[in-house]
Amino acid sequence: MSIDFGQLVLGPCLDTFGAPYAWQSGTLADPVTITAIFDNGYEALDPMGTIPGMAPTDITTSLPRLGVRLSDFPVPPVQGDTFVINGLTYAIREVQPDSHGGARLDLNLVNSSS
């Protein structure tokens, strides 16, 4: 028996933690509202790796991303598509499907919306 992960897990998570954002695809004439979970968190990056006896050399990097359910899109999201999130425009840098019907969309800040 197959479990519908998108309906049983992703759907309730998006209903609870998600917000509606305007998505514009190059293949569609008008923007579409997609419910997604936005994360503009900061993450430490250690370019030197772990060296015994040395303190870590961390660089802080911002990695804006969206968590989405792929079945919510009328056409698949692709690199270059845009989202307006909290008044800022972001472009999809990379689509990372999770093999359970969801995806992480890594974003780049494009500009402020007017």
Side-chain angles (χ1 to χ4, degrees), residues 34 49 56:
I34 298 291

Side-chain angles (χ1 to χ4, degrees), residues 26-53:
T27 61
L28 300 174
D30 297 316
V32 174
T33 300
I34 298 291
T35 299
I37 299 171
F38 179 64
D39 181 13
N40 196 22
Y42 288 83
E43 181 175 298
L45 174 66
D46 186 359
M48 302 286 292
T50 304
I51 301 172

Side-chain angles (χ1 to χ4, degrees), residues 22-84:
W23 167 65
Q24 181 65 61
S25 171
T27 61
L28 300 174
D30 297 316
V32 174
T33 300
I34 298 291
T35 299
I37 299 171
F38 179 64
D39 181 13
N40 196 22
Y42 288 83
E43 181 175 298
L45 174 66
D46 186 359
M48 302 286 292
T50 304
I51 301 172
M54 298 283 294
T57 306
D58 289 333
I59 298 172
T60 302
T61 180
S62 175
L63 300 169
R65 67 186 88 181
L66 282 175
V68 298
R69 181 171 46 181
L70 293 172
S71 64
D72 291 343
F73 291 82
V75 297
V78 296
Q79 184 179 33
D81 288 355
T82 60
F83 279 90
V84 176

Side-chain angles (χ1 to χ4, degrees), residues 5 10 14-15 19 28 35 38 40-41 45 56-57 85 89 98 107:
F5 194 83
L10 297 176
L14 288 167
D15 291 343
L28 300 174
T35 299
F38 179 64
N40 196 22
L45 174 66
T57 306
I85 302 169
T89 302
D98 68 7
L107 306 173

